[in-house]
Amino acid sequence: MNLDILPNKPLYTDMAYINGNWKYYTMDIHQHGFIECNYIAEGCCVYEIAGVPYHLNKRNLILLDSSLPHKISFNHEHPCTVMGLSLSFAAENEPAAMPCMRDVLNQAQDIRHLFQTLVGAIVFPDARSLHGDILRLAREYDCRRDPFFLNSLSYHLLSEIARLPQTEQTSVQFYTAKAQNYIKESFYLIRNNEQIAEHIGLNVTYLERIYKKATGKTLWESVTACRLAAAEELLAQPAIPINEIDNMIGFSNRQTFYLQFKKRYGMSPSAFRRQRLRIDTDA
C-alpha cells in the first residue's frame, strides 16, 4: 500500500457486524472505504480480492484493501460465522475526534509496517486473541454507537492486528508472551489456568502445552513465582502485617502461602522479614 497517497484524515468505523451463520448468502463484487477486517469465528469461506482467492478457515483473520474489487463466497454445506468491520476516512465536515492518519503512521511503527505490507490482503493464521476486541466493537456499533468510543476501539484493534503473528511458529511465541504479560499484570487475581487461557482466547490444554515447551515452566509455576516475588517486596515493608500478605498477592489461604514461601526460600515469611530487616539495619 502506498502510504504517501493516503489522505491525512481520521479513520472512522462505517460498519461492524457479526453475520450469524452465513451459508447461502451471495455477495456481488464491490469496493468501498479504506480497509476491511474479517475474523472467521466458525466454518470456512473464500474471499476474492482483485481476482485473487483467499481460502479462510476458523481462527483466520483477513485484513484487506477494501478499495479493491472484492467479494466473499460460502460453502452451502457448511455455515460460516464472520465477525468484521470496515474503516473509512472521515469526511471534511466530520469532527476529528481521533488523530489523523499521517500522525498515526508517524507515531505507530507497527501500524505503518502493517499498511506497507498490505498488498491486496494479509491473512493471519490465528487471531483468537482478538475475538473479544472485535466482539466489543460490533456490540458498540449495534447499540450505543458512540463515535469516540467506537473509533477508539478501532484504532486499538489496528494496533493489535499489527502485532499478530503471521506464521504458526511466531504464533507460539506470541501467545507465550501474552500469557507471561497477563500473569505479571494480574497474578494476584488469577484463580486457575482457565482464566489465563480465556483472557488470551486459547484452549487451556493447548496453552499449557505450548507454554511449558517454550518456557520450561507450567502456567501455575509462573503465577506462583510472581506471587512470591511480590511477597519479598511486601515483607521488606515492616508496616505491612504478615497475616495480610497472602491475600494481597492472591493465595487462597495463609497455609498455602506459608508452604510455598518456605519451599522457595527455605524459611518462613516471618523469618525472612527478620533476616531482611537485619541486613537493612547492618547496611
Side-chain angles (χ1 to χ4, degrees):
M1 178 178 286
N2 186 353
L3 304 185
D4 295 332
I5 64 173
L6 296 181
N8 192 30
K9 298 178 181 179
L11 288 175
Y12 77 98
T13 305
D14 56 13
M15 186 190 313
Y17 58 88
I18 303 173
N19 70 8
N21 291 323
W22 274 347
K23 188 174 181 180
Y24 300 107
Y25 180 73
T26 301
M27 178 184 294
D28 295 328
I29 292 180
H30 63 289
Q31 53 198 104
H32 57 87
F34 171 50
I35 57 173
E36 187 175 322
C37 165
N38 289 288
Y39 172 69
I40 313 304
E42 292 290 343
C44 57
C45 61
V46 179
Y47 265 85
E48 182 182 317
I49 303 163
V52 179
Y54 294 83
H55 296 266
L56 303 177
N57 297 298
K58 182 178 178 180
R59 301 172 185 162
N60 291 169
L61 180 142
I62 185 169
L63 184 74
L64 59 116
D65 181 348
S66 56
S67 68
L68 298 174
H70 62 279
K71 70 173 184 177
I72 184 172
S73 303
F74 300 95
N75 184 331
H76 291 181
E77 296 180 1
H78 304 286
C80 180
T81 300
V82 180
M83 305 167 64
L85 69 148
S86 172
L87 299 176
S88 297
F89 286 103
E92 296 291 348
N93 58 349
E94 291 189 40
M98 293 289 108
C100 292
M101 203 63 225
R102 197 168 298 157
D103 297 327
V104 171
L105 296 177
N106 287 337
Q107 296 297 324
Q109 295 304 311
D110 286 341
I111 296 179
R112 169 178 283 276
H113 178 71
L114 177 69
F115 288 165
Q116 285 175 331
T117 56
L118 179 58
V119 180
I122 302 174
V123 175
F124 299 91
D126 192 337
R128 281 176 282 182
S129 63
L130 301 190
H131 181 277
D133 293 312
I134 300 172
L135 180 61
R136 190 178 305 114
L137 198 152
R139 285 175 175 168
E140 178 66 22
Y141 187 85
D142 282 342
C143 301
R144 293 182 60 182
R145 206 175 292 194
D146 176 87
F148 180 77
F149 186 64
L150 189 62
N151 292 334
S152 296
L153 292 176
S154 300
Y155 275 68
H156 169 75
L157 183 61
L158 277 180
S159 297
E160 292 292 337
I161 292 173
R163 297 182 180 188
L164 274 178
Q166 296 188 30
T167 68
E168 293 295 344
Q169 182 178 4
T170 55
S171 177
V172 171
Q173 300 167 3
F174 174 78
Y175 287 119
T176 299
K178 285 197 72 121
Q180 289 176 317
N181 290 337
Y182 180 61
I183 290 170
K184 289 177 182 177
E185 294 167 0
S186 306
F187 61 86
Y188 55 93
L189 297 173
I190 296 172
R191 293 291 171 259
N192 49 53
N193 288 348
E194 285 78 7
Q195 184 178 339
I196 303 171
E198 182 179 357
H199 175 80
I200 297 173
L202 288 182
N203 172 274
V204 64
T205 303
Y206 174 70
L207 177 61
E208 288 170 340
R209 185 171 68 252
I210 65 171
Y211 189 89
K212 179 67 180 292
K213 185 176 181 179
T215 68
K217 298 179 180 179
T218 67
L219 288 167
W220 205 247
E221 285 172 343
S222 294
V223 172
T224 301
C226 285
R227 288 175 175 174
L228 294 177
E232 274 195 64
E233 297 181 12
L234 294 172
L235 287 167
Q237 307 297 321
I240 300 176
I242 292 179
N243 61 7
E244 294 182 9
I245 290 178
D246 59 306
N247 186 58
M248 294 172 67
I249 60 179
F251 280 104
S252 57
N253 58 68
R254 198 169 305 160
Q255 183 180 13
T256 302
F257 168 48
Y258 177 88
L259 292 174
Q260 289 292 336
F261 193 92
K262 191 168 185 179
K263 180 180 178 182
R264 172 77 178 269
Y265 298 99
M267 64 183 77
S268 68
S270 56
F272 183 91
R273 171 170 279 181
R274 289 194 298 270
Q275 182 186 77
R276 183 66 179 267
L277 292 176
R278 282 199 302 271
I279 294 172
D280 290 345
T281 302
D282 293 342

